[in-house]
Amino acid sequence: AMEGGPSARIREGDCAVLKRDEVFKAVSVLRRRKIIFEKQWFYLDNAIGHIYGTTFEVTSGGNLQPKQEVEETTTETKEAGTDNRNIVDDGKSQKLTHDDIKALKDKGIKGQEIVQQLIENSTTFRDKTEFAQDKYIKKKKKKYEAVITIVKPSTRILSTMYYAREPGKINHLRYDTLAQMLTLGNIHAGNKMIVMETCSGLVLGAVMERMGGYGSIIQMYPGGGPVRAATSCFGFPKPFFDNLHEFPLSKVQSLLSGTFTTETLPADPEENALVEEESSGLTEEKQTSLQETEEEPTPEAAMEINPTEEQDTMDINAEDAEFKENKEKENKENVREKQIKQWERRKKLLEAAALLREKNADGLIVASKFHPTPLLLALLEFVAPSRPFVVYCQYKEPLLDCYTKLRERGGVINLKLSETWLRNYQVLPDRSHPKLTMSGGGGYLLSGITVVLDKGKSDSSNSEALKMEEPSSKRCRLQDLPC
Amino acid sequence: MSFVEYGDTIKDGDTAIVFLGHESMFPVKVQHGTVTQTKYGVIRHSTDLIGKKYGSKVTCSKGGWVFILHPTPELWTMNLPHRTQILYSTDISIITMMLELKPGSIVCESGTGSGSLSHALIRTVAPTGHLYTVEFHQQRAEKAREEFREHGVEHLVTVTNQDVCKNGFGVSNIADAVFLDIPSPWEAIGHAKSALKAEGGRICSFSPCIEQVQRTCLAMEEYGFTEINTLEILLRVYNVRTISLQIPDLGKEVEDNSSTGFDSSNPSHQGSPCANLQQGTVQFKSGVPLREVVGHTGYLTFATKS
């Protein structure tokens, strides 16, 4: 259901995104699971089987019902005023009270009808200008005609959602900045990519989407394991993950210096009794990771994470010999299981290390909370020459430092420090204007292209650096003149 | 090499990018026996290019050197021969993401123009997708076909020479996305709708003038498109510079020992670590905006087919 062809249908177990106007929320499609979204409570059961993109209404029972296409009543020339000079806002123009409206809602009256009632009971409506009436109707519809669209997750949807709902989780990476990274990095099918991000796996997911399952990705991670909460929202088919590797940052230095060994692995997060939100380990935990995006974590989910925890808290009656024997068998099995898992982890680690050692990656993407300079200087070593790299930072200054250090290092050209300025527009006849500016706050990018590094020749890298710099502008020189 | 697949070494027939220095580069068709003139001297393809690794430094006859880069749609956009005004990577990036393009996507585009966006789209939908691009100018359509052939991507694109407003894209009910960059996009909305798959297809229209945008939004509404949204995106580039600012001479204190602010004559003064006490300047690194920046390219309107 990933490629084109017949439209994808909503299935149980999917990660779907609820949309109402500009508000998004990612949820797990599960039966009899109560969802809260935009002040409404409902179950998703009735949505299963429908095509993604379908718009639903919430019935009084908390069920979803596809919205019927309603014929818009032909606009006869309605009564309208010319301006608001005589309209006084005393809060008394609406004759229906809160209780009246509630009564209508309780009766099961549809939102459309409620809006109609509000219009009829407004003393000032017919004095408003046509534009003001339009705006009034839109506002009431938004409040009372609660329709929800269920959309299929994509980079577009998820990056917009995360930026609006949880920007802190993605280092305030605005979606247009992410879009630039994917293009500047020439992310496409067949690449061998190195990705280092602390954006809940959103950037990883975006890269995976653009690679379509072709090629390979090595995700570098801090701490015990990569966080892929957002990645699971994309709903990629299993094969996409076959060529997704991970490698701990803590082993990078040893890999670069040739002293890498698998003897001391990063702490296994599964052994931790406490489940930190940040550590999701290397196991597939689709359901639990989605909890991050929902407002209320469910108790069942918390229990799924730690199968070993159950064991630790089991107090066994030692006097029951048979029970004890069975328990010993169980323990042995568990130990064996753990050993197999460890062996698998070690094997994967060696595979990732081997891939990195080839030093022929087709690109590098960095978007993390860490200072970018040490990351870039280390990870660029694994990238082939004539390949793009892009670093995101929430702040400009660390990228100034990064730029400077890269110039000193050499082996990079076309360095560019940039940010994008995004503006949304309202387009209506005679009423078109920008909506709101989002300039600033989108983060900054430093991008460049690798070239063959002339190591040990400081002279050539200096002359290289000089060649790469734009001749300093007149403005700068003036500042050096004595006063 | 091709524009959709990286190669390691330069081969005969490749299109490579010669990089001379800051924002100075040009494309070159690699061919046995050919030479290319640069301000640093001559590059002999047979000896200097073919067989060398992409990203290598090549010394030219006069002694100066250049880097030879693997082509990418982004580098191509910066260096292609213009036959029309083109779209740059900033707009291309947001278009790609908002149209939800990925490997396997089927995209329709009109007009092809100089092929800047086309190359980027082909790269994104490869290896299993396809670009149907329509151009009403015969020579431009032919030039585009030629370039796609040279760049090794002809199997991923179909160029049709016709007027999209009259005859559409030549396909129906299969496109995941449609892109319009034409003078009267509202006249092509109907054709766009029929080219798009039944449900969930995305459309984008690029227009420099707000009047065009207004007509296009109206047409989109009439044809039942939803989620209609107009935006514009601009790039702000910063030059990284070390700046020295002079400390002003505010005169000396008469007797008072307490110092305020920058006092270049007091050796124990902590002050800024960058302060150069002898010369009376403060140095710092800054991201300096460019003097002239692009203020407008066009408005981008996106919508979904329901």
Side-chain angles (χ1 to χ4, degrees), chain B residues 81-105:
Chain B
H82 286 211
R83 287 89 75 182
T84 60
Q85 172 61 285
I86 65 166
L87 279 184
Y88 289 89
S89 297
T90 310
D91 285 312
I92 293 174
S93 303
I94 192 91
I95 291 167
T96 307
M97 187 182 84
M98 298 293 269
L99 288 181
E100 303 188 341
L101 300 179
K102 54 185 178 260
S105 295

PDB file of all heavy atoms in Angstrom, chain B residues 81-105:
ATOM      1  N   PRO B  81      22.460  25.622 -18.811  1.00  0.00           N
ATOM      2  CA  PRO B  81      22.220  26.729 -19.744  1.00  0.00           C
ATOM      3  C   PRO B  81      20.743  27.113 -19.703  1.00  0.00           C
ATOM      4  O   PRO B  81      19.865  26.285 -19.920  1.00  0.00           O
ATOM      5  CB  PRO B  81      22.600  26.133 -21.100  1.00  0.00           C
ATOM      6  CG  PRO B  81      22.506  24.661 -20.935  1.00  0.00           C
ATOM      7  CD  PRO B  81      22.731  24.350 -19.494  1.00  0.00           C
ATOM      8  N   HIS B  82      20.488  28.398 -19.388  1.00  0.00           N
ATOM      9  CA  HIS B  82      19.107  28.854 -19.260  1.00  0.00           C
ATOM     10  C   HIS B  82      18.454  29.059 -20.618  1.00  0.00           C
ATOM     11  O   HIS B  82      18.988  29.777 -21.455  1.00  0.00           O
ATOM     12  CB  HIS B  82      19.059  30.197 -18.515  1.00  0.00           C
ATOM     13  CG  HIS B  82      19.303  30.091 -17.054  1.00  0.00           C
ATOM     14  ND1 HIS B  82      18.738  30.955 -16.137  1.00  0.00           N
ATOM     15  CD2 HIS B  82      20.046  29.225 -16.326  1.00  0.00           C
ATOM     16  CE1 HIS B  82      19.135  30.629 -14.915  1.00  0.00           C
ATOM     17  NE2 HIS B  82      19.924  29.595 -15.008  1.00  0.00           N
ATOM     18  N   ARG B  83      17.299  28.438 -20.793  1.00  0.00           N
ATOM     19  CA  ARG B  83      16.480  28.768 -21.966  1.00  0.00           C
ATOM     20  C   ARG B  83      15.271  29.588 -21.500  1.00  0.00           C
ATOM     21  O   ARG B  83      14.597  30.256 -22.240  1.00  0.00           O
ATOM     22  CB  ARG B  83      15.993  27.494 -22.669  1.00  0.00           C
ATOM     23  CG  ARG B  83      17.079  26.763 -23.437  1.00  0.00           C
ATOM     24  CD  ARG B  83      17.860  25.741 -22.670  1.00  0.00           C
ATOM     25  NE  ARG B  83      17.130  24.498 -22.421  1.00  0.00           N
ATOM     26  CZ  ARG B  83      17.640  23.477 -21.724  1.00  0.00           C
ATOM     27  NH1 ARG B  83      18.854  23.574 -21.199  1.00  0.00           N
ATOM     28  NH2 ARG B  83      16.933  22.367 -21.547  1.00  0.00           N
ATOM     29  N   THR B  84      14.987  29.477 -20.230  1.00  0.00           N
ATOM     30  CA  THR B  84      13.885  30.210 -19.596  1.00  0.00           C
ATOM     31  C   THR B  84      14.334  30.554 -18.183  1.00  0.00           C
ATOM     32  O   THR B  84      15.384  30.077 -17.732  1.00  0.00           O
ATOM     33  CB  THR B  84      12.633  29.323 -19.432  1.00  0.00           C
ATOM     34  OG1 THR B  84      12.992  28.208 -18.612  1.00  0.00           O
ATOM     35  CG2 THR B  84      12.107  28.821 -20.768  1.00  0.00           C
ATOM     36  N   GLN B  85      13.519  31.335 -17.468  1.00  0.00           N
ATOM     37  CA  GLN B  85      13.782  31.539 -16.039  1.00  0.00           C
ATOM     38  C   GLN B  85      13.584  30.181 -15.370  1.00  0.00           C
ATOM     39  O   GLN B  85      12.685  29.420 -15.737  1.00  0.00           O
ATOM     40  CB  GLN B  85      12.800  32.572 -15.480  1.00  0.00           C
ATOM     41  CG  GLN B  85      12.827  32.741 -13.973  1.00  0.00           C
ATOM     42  CD  GLN B  85      14.164  33.199 -13.432  1.00  0.00           C
ATOM     43  OE1 GLN B  85      15.125  32.432 -13.358  1.00  0.00           O
ATOM     44  NE2 GLN B  85      14.248  34.459 -13.043  1.00  0.00           N
ATOM     45  N   ILE B  86      14.431  29.867 -14.386  1.00  0.00           N
ATOM     46  CA  ILE B  86      14.337  28.532 -13.782  1.00  0.00           C
ATOM     47  C   ILE B  86      13.935  28.576 -12.317  1.00  0.00           C
ATOM     48  O   ILE B  86      13.936  29.639 -11.691  1.00  0.00           O
ATOM     49  CB  ILE B  86      15.695  27.780 -13.883  1.00  0.00           C
ATOM     50  CG1 ILE B  86      16.754  28.498 -13.048  1.00  0.00           C
ATOM     51  CG2 ILE B  86      16.126  27.654 -15.338  1.00  0.00           C
ATOM     52  CD1 ILE B  86      17.996  27.657 -12.813  1.00  0.00           C
ATOM     53  N   LEU B  87      13.615  27.392 -11.801  1.00  0.00           N
ATOM     54  CA  LEU B  87      13.343  27.249 -10.371  1.00  0.00           C
ATOM     55  C   LEU B  87      14.644  26.867  -9.689  1.00  0.00           C
ATOM     56  O   LEU B  87      15.397  26.039 -10.206  1.00  0.00           O
ATOM     57  CB  LEU B  87      12.321  26.134 -10.130  1.00  0.00           C
ATOM     58  CG  LEU B  87      10.843  26.483 -10.328  1.00  0.00           C
ATOM     59  CD1 LEU B  87       9.986  25.296  -9.948  1.00  0.00           C
ATOM     60  CD2 LEU B  87      10.443  27.678  -9.498  1.00  0.00           C
ATOM     61  N   TYR B  88      14.900  27.458  -8.536  1.00  0.00           N
ATOM     62  CA  TYR B  88      16.113  27.130  -7.803  1.00  0.00           C
ATOM     63  C   TYR B  88      15.821  26.155  -6.668  1.00  0.00           C
ATOM     64  O   TYR B  88      14.655  25.921  -6.319  1.00  0.00           O
ATOM     65  CB  TYR B  88      16.768  28.416  -7.275  1.00  0.00           C
ATOM     66  CG  TYR B  88      17.367  29.219  -8.391  1.00  0.00           C
ATOM     67  CD1 TYR B  88      16.616  30.172  -9.083  1.00  0.00           C
ATOM     68  CD2 TYR B  88      18.684  28.999  -8.810  1.00  0.00           C
ATOM     69  CE1 TYR B  88      17.166  30.888 -10.142  1.00  0.00           C
ATOM     70  CE2 TYR B  88      19.234  29.710  -9.862  1.00  0.00           C
ATOM     71  CZ  TYR B  88      18.467  30.650 -10.528  1.00  0.00           C
ATOM     72  OH  TYR B  88      19.011  31.348 -11.576  1.00  0.00           O
ATOM     73  N   SER B  89      16.877  25.610  -6.104  1.00  0.00           N
ATOM     74  CA  SER B  89      16.729  24.517  -5.141  1.00  0.00           C
ATOM     75  C   SER B  89      15.872  24.845  -3.928  1.00  0.00           C
ATOM     76  O   SER B  89      15.277  23.943  -3.345  1.00  0.00           O
ATOM     77  CB  SER B  89      18.106  24.023  -4.688  1.00  0.00           C
ATOM     78  OG  SER B  89      18.799  23.502  -5.805  1.00  0.00           O
ATOM     79  N   THR B  90      15.798  26.097  -3.542  1.00  0.00           N
ATOM     80  CA  THR B  90      14.985  26.449  -2.386  1.00  0.00           C
ATOM     81  C   THR B  90      13.515  26.121  -2.645  1.00  0.00           C
ATOM     82  O   THR B  90      12.862  25.471  -1.827  1.00  0.00           O
ATOM     83  CB  THR B  90      15.123  27.946  -2.048  1.00  0.00           C
ATOM     84  OG1 THR B  90      16.496  28.274  -1.991  1.00  0.00           O
ATOM     85  CG2 THR B  90      14.475  28.256  -0.720  1.00  0.00           C
ATOM     86  N   ASP B  91      13.003  26.582  -3.791  1.00  0.00           N
ATOM     87  CA  ASP B  91      11.617  26.275  -4.152  1.00  0.00           C
ATOM     88  C   ASP B  91      11.467  24.787  -4.441  1.00  0.00           C
ATOM     89  O   ASP B  91      10.495  24.157  -4.033  1.00  0.00           O
ATOM     90  CB  ASP B  91      11.178  27.082  -5.384  1.00  0.00           C
ATOM     91  CG  ASP B  91      10.913  28.546  -5.053  1.00  0.00           C
ATOM     92  OD1 ASP B  91      10.202  28.801  -4.064  1.00  0.00           O
ATOM     93  OD2 ASP B  91      11.416  29.423  -5.776  1.00  0.00           O
ATOM     94  N   ILE B  92      12.450  24.222  -5.160  1.00  0.00           N
ATOM     95  CA  ILE B  92      12.393  22.807  -5.512  1.00  0.00           C
ATOM     96  C   ILE B  92      12.274  21.935  -4.271  1.00  0.00           C
ATOM     97  O   ILE B  92      11.523  20.953  -4.243  1.00  0.00           O
ATOM     98  CB  ILE B  92      13.621  22.396  -6.352  1.00  0.00           C
ATOM     99  CG1 ILE B  92      13.566  23.094  -7.719  1.00  0.00           C
ATOM    100  CG2 ILE B  92      13.693  20.885  -6.527  1.00  0.00           C
ATOM    101  CD1 ILE B  92      14.800  22.884  -8.585  1.00  0.00           C
ATOM    102  N   SER B  93      13.001  22.290  -3.223  1.00  0.00           N
ATOM    103  CA  SER B  93      12.970  21.491  -1.987  1.00  0.00           C
ATOM    104  C   SER B  93      11.574  21.420  -1.382  1.00  0.00           C
ATOM    105  O   SER B  93      11.099  20.342  -1.028  1.00  0.00           O
ATOM    106  CB  SER B  93      13.895  22.092  -0.929  1.00  0.00           C
ATOM    107  OG  SER B  93      15.188  22.197  -1.413  1.00  0.00           O
ATOM    108  N   ILE B  94      10.927  22.569  -1.247  1.00  0.00           N
ATOM    109  CA  ILE B  94       9.624  22.569  -0.589  1.00  0.00           C
ATOM    110  C   ILE B  94       8.564  21.939  -1.496  1.00  0.00           C
ATOM    111  O   ILE B  94       7.659  21.255  -1.024  1.00  0.00           O
ATOM    112  CB  ILE B  94       9.235  23.996  -0.118  1.00  0.00           C
ATOM    113  CG1 ILE B  94       8.034  23.945   0.831  1.00  0.00           C
ATOM    114  CG2 ILE B  94       8.939  24.925  -1.258  1.00  0.00           C
ATOM    115  CD1 ILE B  94       8.384  23.821   2.279  1.00  0.00           C
ATOM    116  N   ILE B  95       8.739  22.119  -2.810  1.00  0.00           N
ATOM    117  CA  ILE B  95       7.811  21.487  -3.757  1.00  0.00           C
ATOM    118  C   ILE B  95       7.879  19.970  -3.602  1.00  0.00           C
ATOM    119  O   ILE B  95       6.862  19.283  -3.511  1.00  0.00           O
ATOM    120  CB  ILE B  95       8.137  21.884  -5.213  1.00  0.00           C
ATOM    121  CG1 ILE B  95       7.824  23.364  -5.436  1.00  0.00           C
ATOM    122  CG2 ILE B  95       7.360  21.023  -6.202  1.00  0.00           C
ATOM    123  CD1 ILE B  95       8.404  23.929  -6.725  1.00  0.00           C
ATOM    124  N   THR B  96       9.103  19.446  -3.571  1.00  0.00           N
ATOM    125  CA  THR B  96       9.301  18.007  -3.463  1.00  0.00           C
ATOM    126  C   THR B  96       8.655  17.448  -2.213  1.00  0.00           C
ATOM    127  O   THR B  96       7.977  16.415  -2.237  1.00  0.00           O
ATOM    128  CB  THR B  96      10.805  17.666  -3.454  1.00  0.00           C
ATOM    129  OG1 THR B  96      11.428  18.274  -4.584  1.00  0.00           O
ATOM    130  CG2 THR B  96      11.034  16.167  -3.506  1.00  0.00           C
ATOM    131  N   MET B  97       8.846  18.125  -1.080  1.00  0.00           N
ATOM    132  CA  MET B  97       8.305  17.614   0.165  1.00  0.00           C
ATOM    133  C   MET B  97       6.782  17.758   0.227  1.00  0.00           C
ATOM    134  O   MET B  97       6.090  16.830   0.651  1.00  0.00           O
ATOM    135  CB  MET B  97       8.918  18.338   1.361  1.00  0.00           C
ATOM    136  CG  MET B  97       8.497  17.689   2.672  1.00  0.00           C
ATOM    137  SD  MET B  97       9.150  18.523   4.101  1.00  0.00           S
ATOM    138  CE  MET B  97       7.960  19.803   4.301  1.00  0.00           C
ATOM    139  N   MET B  98       6.266  18.896  -0.208  1.00  0.00           N
ATOM    140  CA  MET B  98       4.824  19.123  -0.115  1.00  0.00           C
ATOM    141  C   MET B  98       4.031  18.272  -1.106  1.00  0.00           C
ATOM    142  O   MET B  98       2.856  18.008  -0.896  1.00  0.00           O
ATOM    143  CB  MET B  98       4.499  20.610  -0.342  1.00  0.00           C
ATOM    144  CG  MET B  98       5.114  21.518   0.695  1.00  0.00           C
ATOM    145  SD  MET B  98       4.421  21.274   2.332  1.00  0.00           S
ATOM    146  CE  MET B  98       3.107  22.459   2.287  1.00  0.00           C
ATOM    147  N   LEU B  99       4.681  17.846  -2.190  1.00  0.00           N
ATOM    148  CA  LEU B  99       4.005  16.955  -3.131  1.00  0.00           C
ATOM    149  C   LEU B  99       4.192  15.498  -2.724  1.00  0.00           C
ATOM    150  O   LEU B  99       3.707  14.593  -3.390  1.00  0.00           O
ATOM    151  CB  LEU B  99       4.524  17.166  -4.561  1.00  0.00           C
ATOM    152  CG  LEU B  99       4.111  18.465  -5.247  1.00  0.00           C
ATOM    153  CD1 LEU B  99       4.671  18.512  -6.667  1.00  0.00           C
ATOM    154  CD2 LEU B  99       2.604  18.616  -5.293  1.00  0.00           C
ATOM    155  N   GLU B 100       4.922  15.281  -1.627  1.00  0.00           N
ATOM    156  CA  GLU B 100       5.139  13.949  -1.059  1.00  0.00           C
ATOM    157  C   GLU B 100       5.805  13.000  -2.056  1.00  0.00           C
ATOM    158  O   GLU B 100       5.458  11.825  -2.145  1.00  0.00           O
ATOM    159  CB  GLU B 100       3.802  13.361  -0.565  1.00  0.00           C
ATOM    160  CG  GLU B 100       3.135  14.292   0.450  1.00  0.00           C
ATOM    161  CD  GLU B 100       1.920  13.732   1.139  1.00  0.00           C
ATOM    162  OE1 GLU B 100       1.332  12.757   0.630  1.00  0.00           O
ATOM    163  OE2 GLU B 100       1.552  14.282   2.187  1.00  0.00           O
ATOM    164  N   LEU B 101       6.750  13.525  -2.820  1.00  0.00           N
ATOM    165  CA  LEU B 101       7.417  12.720  -3.833  1.00  0.00           C
ATOM    166  C   LEU B 101       8.445  11.800  -3.216  1.00  0.00           C
ATOM    167  O   LEU B 101       9.102  12.149  -2.230  1.00  0.00           O
ATOM    168  CB  LEU B 101       8.087  13.636  -4.859  1.00  0.00           C
ATOM    169  CG  LEU B 101       7.122  14.573  -5.593  1.00  0.00           C
ATOM    170  CD1 LEU B 101       7.883  15.456  -6.554  1.00  0.00           C
ATOM    171  CD2 LEU B 101       6.065  13.778  -6.340  1.00  0.00           C
ATOM    172  N   LYS B 102       8.586  10.624  -3.826  1.00  0.00           N
ATOM    173  CA  LYS B 102       9.539   9.628  -3.349  1.00  0.00           C
ATOM    174  C   LYS B 102       9.753   8.599  -4.441  1.00  0.00           C
ATOM    175  O   LYS B 102       9.082   8.651  -5.470  1.00  0.00           O
ATOM    176  CB  LYS B 102       9.005   8.975  -2.090  1.00  0.00           C
ATOM    177  CG  LYS B 102       7.605   8.398  -2.248  1.00  0.00           C
ATOM    178  CD  LYS B 102       7.120   7.873  -0.912  1.00  0.00           C
ATOM    179  CE  LYS B 102       5.728   7.338  -1.007  1.00  0.00           C
ATOM    180  NZ  LYS B 102       4.729   8.287  -0.507  1.00  0.00           N
ATOM    181  N   PRO B 103      10.701   7.658  -4.261  1.00  0.00           N
ATOM    182  CA  PRO B 103      10.914   6.643  -5.291  1.00  0.00           C
ATOM    183  C   PRO B 103       9.603   5.941  -5.639  1.00  0.00           C
ATOM    184  O   PRO B 103       8.873   5.498  -4.769  1.00  0.00           O
ATOM    185  CB  PRO B 103      11.912   5.683  -4.615  1.00  0.00           C
ATOM    186  CG  PRO B 103      12.650   6.532  -3.651  1.00  0.00           C
ATOM    187  CD  PRO B 103      11.660   7.536  -3.148  1.00  0.00           C
ATOM    188  N   GLY B 104       9.334   5.846  -6.945  1.00  0.00           N
ATOM    189  CA  GLY B 104       8.111   5.200  -7.389  1.00  0.00           C
ATOM    190  C   GLY B 104       6.994   6.157  -7.726  1.00  0.00           C
ATOM    191  O   GLY B 104       6.014   5.773  -8.363  1.00  0.00           O
ATOM    192  N   SER B 105       7.123   7.411  -7.330  1.00  0.00           N
ATOM    193  CA  SER B 105       6.059   8.372  -7.618  1.00  0.00           C
ATOM    194  C   SER B 105       5.941   8.636  -9.112  1.00  0.00           C
ATOM    195  O   SER B 105       6.927   8.628  -9.838  1.00  0.00           O
ATOM    196  CB  SER B 105       6.323   9.700  -6.915  1.00  0.00           C
ATOM    197  OG  SER B 105       6.283   9.568  -5.523  1.00  0.00           O
TER     198      SER B 105
END
